């Protein structure tokens, strides 16, 4: 049986540029984990982020340069939407990061409604 095609990734806002700013090792690992999501698998280290929106999850990557996060929603059939990508500086996720991800989630919902 043929494996289904991977879902395309849609980067919202500055998330692609933010990902490109990661150190190479963190960028590579984040890309590998995002590829798993595109193929319907769970990333190695993730958690649901229901405070951001229904179906939003966070990929967690750690390397010698620090902790890196990628928030995405994959519950829609047409794409995996990457909402926010950032380096985590403190134990708790900063309110500004959560707010930005929430705003981008609303943007995705509005865009889906209008198309």
């Amino acid at each position: 049986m043929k494996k289904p095609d991977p879902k395309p990734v849609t980067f919202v806002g500055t998330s692609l540029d933010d990902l490109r700013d990661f150190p190479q090792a963190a960028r590579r690992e984040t890309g590998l984990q995002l590829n798993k999501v595109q193929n319907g698998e769970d990333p190695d280290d993730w958690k649901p982020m229901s405070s951001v929106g229904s179906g939003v999850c966070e990929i967690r990557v750690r390397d010698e340069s620090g902790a890196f996060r990628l928030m995405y929603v994959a519950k829609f059939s047409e794409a995996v939407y990457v909402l926010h990508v950032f380096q985590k500086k403190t134990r708790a996720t900063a309110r500004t990061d959560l707010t930005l991800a929430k705003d981008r989630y609303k943007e995705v919902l509005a865009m889906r409604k209008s198309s």
Side-chain angles (χ1 to χ4, degrees):
M1 194 167 101
K2 184 179 176 287
K3 211 169 83 165
D5 289 337
K7 276 189 198 178
V9 174
T10 300
F11 289 90
V12 183
T14 61
S15 57
L16 180 57
D17 290 333
D18 297 337
L19 180 58
R20 287 179 176 147
D21 288 342
F22 277 13
Q24 185 175 0
R27 190 171 62 234
R28 182 178 298 124
E29 183 58 28
T30 304
L32 289 171
Q33 299 305 317
L34 186 56
N35 185 267
K36 286 185 170 194
V37 173
Q38 286 181 265
N39 286 291
E41 301 169 38
D42 284 337
D44 294 341
D45 187 2
W46 67 281
K47 75 175 196 181
M49 296 295 289
S50 52
S51 63
V52 172
S54 170
V56 176
C57 296
E58 176 182 75
I59 293 174
R60 305 186 303 184
V61 171
R62 177 173 281 291
D63 76 357
E64 63 279 351
S65 1
F68 300 89
R69 301 291 186 260
L70 181 146
M71 288 187 196
Y72 68 93
V73 61
K75 70 177 184 177
F76 304 120
S77 59
E78 71 276 6
V80 174
Y81 293 95
V82 176
L83 304 174
H84 186 34
V85 180
F86 60 100
Q87 183 170 3
K88 197 163 175 184
K89 305 279 190 195
T90 59
R91 195 165 149 68
T93 302
R95 184 179 308 275
T96 53
D97 290 315
L98 293 171
T99 302
L100 183 59
K102 278 182 198 172
D103 290 346
R104 289 181 178 169
Y105 181 72
K106 288 177 192 161
E107 202 179 300
V108 166
L109 296 179
M111 180 189 69
R112 292 184 80 248
K113 199 182 240 179
S114 67
S115 58

